[in-house]
Amino acid sequence: MRKPVIIGVGLTPVGEHWRLGLRDLAVEALLNAMEDAGVDKVDSLYVGNMASGSFVEQENLGALIADWAGLGNIPAVKVEAACASGGAAVQEGVKAVMSGLEDVVAVVGVEKMTDAWPSDATRYLAYAADAEWELFHGVSFVALNALAMRLYMKEYGYTEEDLALFAVNAHANGAKNPYAMFKKPITVETVIKSPYVADPIKLFDASPIADGAAAVIITTEDKAKEFVDKAKMVEVAGMGRAIDTINLANRKDFLILKAAKVAAERAYRMAGISANDIDFFEVHDAFTIMAALSLESIGVAERGKGAMLAKEGQIAIDGDYPIQTLGGLKARGHPVGATGVYQTVEAVWQLRGEAPNQVPDAEIGLTQNIGGTGSNITVTLLRRV
Amino acid sequence: MGRPMQVARYWRHFKEKYRLIGGKCKSCGHVHFPKRPLCPECGSQEIEEFQFSGRGKVVSWTIVRNPPSGYEYYKPYPVALIELEEGPVVLAQLTDIDPEKIDFGMEVEMVTRKIREFDEDGIILYGYKFRPPIK
Ligand SMILES: [Zn+2]
């Protein structure tokens, strides 16, 4: 099969974009990525988006965005996998290139969340849970993650302060990222003093509701030479994705992200590497508990030891396992369906040596994007060419 | 938001939500909730209805302080994972309880309560919640 290579990236800052609509954000990111790659046309477009129908009453995003970006009569579709929509869209784009069906593919992740009332946004996000057996009972997405956090703390003896370290690390890194929503460092005290949203999850344990779009251009290794120098090429070395029970209550084990474990194993096998070979990790820290569980599920930490990595300072840029190098969901912001593409853009920066918070000599990076309460997860491995 | 004809959507689940009826695999005996078309253990499609006792224990819980729209009425309210005595875990609200007193392993029993109302079409939804047992 053909080797897939990312040759261009583009994005908008994450934030509350009152003046910009969904299509404005998507087109801006997309055109930036095409300019970065030096391409003026693409064979197809994949749009990562979770809930545009709910948030802005707009579906059919393939047609909308390809039309407004002037891409012509190409095939274009929306890819939905809840908050993992962006990661899934990137993987669909990679598959199209690998298969030989398409040579130059654009992927854009976009979400416009702040046009909705906060309590409506909370409801739309809960649509990623099981509507009949979870949302029906008035549970929010935060609440589902809180059930796991309480259990994790009890099972392994961690405190709220321990988990807050993930937020502190994310904000420290986000402070260096001009595209991040929050550019201010915080302390453990900031997290602990913030109000409970769903106990034990506090406001600063959770990622913010936000708007944003990010895009990448994918082609084959041979074709890439027509557009960019080798220094700009980043190979998609491995990828995997998997689902788990959509209803948290139906899971046999509440403290392992089985879908992440399976997805990571698939990605490692495809790339021929192990977790030890990876230089940095963009994991899905929608909530601090998810950062801990993610590190365990992708094989970086043993069961129950994910939060230890934060306590030991190993998740910082100069640690053995740097995570959320540009702020993660927590500080960069989490425009849900766009997040997986933001992670990809940030990993490309690291591997090109262009990151504002550079991991020295980064060769291989991992992005892990979670949809639902761990019910739909993508893992993608990127490698310097 | 307009929600035409919601009645059938909820009526379909009366049995499960009013009486806590789930599924039991005729092939391997596995019980589950809610009832599925295939046994999650052995894949058999021979599933019969199974009446749960409604008794269980709290596995984990949270207090919903920022609920999804439509659920503001009871806020803040506790939601828990409850392990039924027959094995499966269900997610439900806890009721008739001081949130400070909720604890791991606490015994609870199922009761039928109002879940929410819709302003638009007047539907009132009922379903199971759990409370400390009345001795
Ligand atoms: Zn069975």
Side-chain angles (χ1 to χ4, degrees), chain B residues 32-50:
Chain B
H32 54 270
F33 185 90
K35 185 168 172 273
R36 285 172 179 257
L38 279 83
C39 171
E41 284 298 309
C42 75
S44 164
Q45 294 182 32
E46 303 262 315
I47 310 288
E48 60 187 6
E49 287 186 353
F50 182 82

Side-chain angles (χ1 to χ4, degrees), chain A residues 11 24 85 99 185 197 206 211-212 235 240 259 294 297 301 313 320 364 370 383:
Chain A
L11 72 176
D24 307 315
S85 298
S99 74
V197 182
D211 310 323
E235 178 198 354
S294 293
S297 303
D320 285 344
I364 302 179
I370 303 180
R383 182 158 55 195

Side-chain angles (χ1 to χ4, degrees), chain A residues 281-306:
Chain A
F281 304 82
E282 299 301 334
V283 297
H284 188 102
D285 60 335
F287 304 96
T288 49
I289 177 63
M290 281 298 132
L293 292 181
S294 293
L295 288 171
E296 296 170 22
S297 303
I298 61 177
V300 173
E302 282 174 41
R303 191 188 169 111
K305 299 278 174 62

